[in-house]
Coordinates of all heavy atoms in Angstrom, one line a residue:
V143 N -17.1 108.0 84.6 CA -16.0 107.4 85.5 C -15.6 106.1 84.8 O -16.4 105.1 84.8 CB -16.6 107.2 86.9 CG1 -15.5 106.6 87.8 CG2 -17.1 108.5 87.5
L147 N -13.1 104.5 91.8 CA -14.4 104.4 92.5 C -15.5 105.4 92.0 O -15.2 106.6 91.8 CB -14.2 104.6 94.0 CG -13.2 103.6 94.6 CD1 -13.1 103.9 96.1 CD2 -13.6 102.1 94.4
P216 N -38.2 96.3 77.8 CA -39.2 96.9 76.9 C -40.1 95.9 76.2 O -39.9 94.7 76.5 CB -38.2 97.6 75.9 CG -37.0 96.8 75.9 CD -36.9 96.3 77.3
V220 N -44.2 90.7 75.6 CA -43.1 90.0 75.0 C -41.8 90.1 75.9 O -41.1 89.1 76.2 CB -42.8 90.4 73.6 CG1 -41.5 89.8 73.0 CG2 -43.9 90.1 72.7
N225 N -38.1 88.0 80.0 CA -37.6 88.0 81.4 C -37.6 86.6 82.0 O -36.7 86.1 82.6 CB -38.4 88.9 82.3 CG -38.1 90.4 82.0 OD1 -37.3 90.7 81.2 ND2 -38.9 91.3 82.5
R226 N -38.8 86.0 81.9 CA -39.0 84.7 82.6 C -38.1 83.6 81.9 O -37.6 82.8 82.6 CB -40.5 84.3 82.4 CG -41.3 84.7 83.6 CD -42.5 83.9 83.7 NE -43.4 84.7 84.6 CZ -44.6 84.9 84.4 NH1 -45.3 84.4 83.4 NH2 -45.3 85.7 85.2
A248 N -11.9 90.8 98.4 CA -11.9 91.3 99.7 C -11.2 90.4 100.7 O -10.6 90.9 101.7 CB -13.4 91.5 100.1
K254 N -6.1 95.5 97.7 CA -5.1 96.6 97.8 C -4.7 97.1 96.4 O -4.3 98.2 96.2 CB -3.9 96.1 98.6 CG -4.2 95.8 100.0 CD -3.0 95.3 100.8 CE -3.3 95.0 102.2 NZ -2.2 94.4 102.9

Side-chain angles (χ1 to χ4, degrees):
V143 179
L147 302 180
V220 172
N225 287 353
R226 266 198 200 138
K254 293 176 183 177

